[in-house]
């Protein structure tokens, strides 16, 4: 069955970076899009961007240009998102979500990673 | 960016009641509208895609409709397990944008 297993909770300092992961299983990782979505405390959802692991192509929400960098490791079927120059505004839960090629909706989500930025 | 406005922000209804949630886009989104249910502490779960297509395994009491800028999620008979926040998502154009959510509670 399809599973997206994300890495654990992160507590990081302001101005630092963090890299979170999303390990996929149960489907062909390289043939489908992986998206990332942010949910700030008490707030709604914001789309960050996607990566197509088959060729490494990416697309970002302009709001997250320079903040988020998406990568993927085909050998381990794992997608990564690095967040840089962290501020308290980046404290949020970050989800990965699969978008099946040809379907174009988010049918499976990871459990989410809580990132807290605090000194 | 396309703005998605959901209403109401909060809704309290009785078990068995018919419930309607709305989502309005700032421009035509050509029915590229999905609905998600998020329970406390969980990831969102897909309910409806492309306005009116029920995702696999979702109970038939959920349905969607709409066109242009106005879309609706209907729960025909509210159940206790439907307590959650419901989000709409437009996929017509980049960046993808979500509504701010409707929090649904049992009266």
């Amino acid at each position: 069955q399809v599973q997206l297993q994300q890495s654990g909770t992160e507590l990081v300092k302001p101005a630092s970076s963090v890299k979170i992961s999303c390990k996929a299983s149960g489907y062909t990782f390289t043939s489908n899009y992986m998206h990332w979505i942010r949910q700030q405390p008490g707030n709604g959802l914001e789309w960050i961007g996607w990566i197509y692991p088959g060729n490494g192509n990416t697309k970002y929400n302009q709001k997250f240009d320079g903040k988020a960098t998406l990568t993927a490791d085909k050998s381990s079927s794992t997608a990564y998102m690095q967040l840089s120059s962290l501020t308290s505004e980046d404290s949020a839960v970050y989800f990965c979500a699969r978008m099946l090629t040809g379907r174009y909706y988010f049918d499976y989500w990871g459990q989410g990673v809580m990132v807290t930025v605090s000194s | 960016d396309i703005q998605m406005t959901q209403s109401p922000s909060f809704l309290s209804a009785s078990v068995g009641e018919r419930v309607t949630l709305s989502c309005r886009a700032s421009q035509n989104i050509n029915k590229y509208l999905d609905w998600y249910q998020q329970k406390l502490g969980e990831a969102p779960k897909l309910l409806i895609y492309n306005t009116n297509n029920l995702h696999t395994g979702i109970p038939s009491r959920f349905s969607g409709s709409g066109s242009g800028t106005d879309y609706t999620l209907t729960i025909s008979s509210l159940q206790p397990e439907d307590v959650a926040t419901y989000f709409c998502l437009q996929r017509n154009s980049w960046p993808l944008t979500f509504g701010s959510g409707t929090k649904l509670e049992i009266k």
Side-chain angles (χ1 to χ4, degrees):
Chain A
Q1 71 282 21
V2 174
Q3 286 191 330
L4 301 178
Q5 183 64 40
Q6 295 189 242
S7 48
T9 300
E10 299 274 2
L11 174 59
V12 293
K13 295 197 182 309
S16 68
S17 298
V18 68
K19 192 171 186 177
I20 60 180
S21 66
C22 173
K23 182 170 176 57
S25 60
Y27 72 99
T28 305
F29 177 67
T30 52
S31 302
N32 297 282
Y33 296 85
M34 189 69 78
H35 290 243
W36 292 85
I37 294 108
R38 177 173 88 172
Q39 187 166 37
Q40 292 174 309
N43 285 359
L45 300 157
E46 290 182 284
W47 175 75
I48 296 170
W50 59 251
I51 184 166
Y52 189 76
N55 56 19
N57 283 356
T58 56
K59 186 175 187 65
Y60 294 92
N61 184 337
Q62 198 169 3
K63 177 176 181 176
F64 293 91
D65 262 340
K67 170 64 67 178
T69 303
L70 304 182
T71 56
D73 177 3
K74 291 188 279 190
S75 67
S76 63
S77 297
T78 302
Y80 297 93
M81 178 172 66
Q82 178 160 321
L83 299 167
S84 60
S85 305
L86 292 165
T87 72
S88 59
E89 277 290 300
D90 297 313
S91 293
V93 176
Y94 293 86
F95 295 100
C96 59
R98 182 184 85 159
M99 182 174 274
L100 200 61
T101 300
R103 299 286 182 158
Y104 304 116
Y105 46 75
F106 300 135
D107 58 350
Y108 286 91
W109 294 61
Q111 81 276 22
V113 175
M114 178 171 289
V115 175
T116 302
V117 182
S118 175
S119 55
Chain B
D1 299 2
I2 295 177
Q3 307 303 313
M4 304 299 293
T5 303
Q6 286 189 246
S7 60
S9 301
F10 177 83
L11 181 59
S12 182
S14 302
V15 172
E17 190 173 337
R18 182 182 181 89
V19 168
T20 300
L21 284 59
S22 294
C23 183
R24 174 167 287 176
S26 58
Q27 62 191 72
N28 181 8
I29 56 171
N30 298 300
K31 295 193 172 186
Y32 291 110
L33 188 284
D34 307 327
W35 289 96
Y36 291 86
Q37 176 194 66
Q38 187 178 31
K39 296 185 178 181
L40 200 61
E42 298 183 3
K45 174 180 161 184
L46 177 66
L47 300 175
I48 302 278
Y49 62 94
N50 292 346
T51 295
N52 56 10
N53 294 274
L54 197 65
H55 185 51
T56 307
I58 301 303
S60 59
R61 64 180 181 274
F62 292 93
S63 64
S65 63
S67 63
T69 61
D70 292 322
Y71 298 83
T72 298
L73 173 69
T74 299
I75 307 173
S76 60
S77 176
L78 187 65
Q79 300 302 304
E81 60 266 32
D82 299 336
V83 169
T85 300
Y86 293 81
F87 295 97
C88 59
L89 166 69
Q90 70 78 20
R91 290 184 288 105
N92 184 71
S93 59
W94 307 106
L96 306 185
T97 47
F98 292 86
S100 55
T102 293
K103 187 173 183 179
L104 180 58
E105 290 192 354
I106 300 291
K107 194 181 290 183

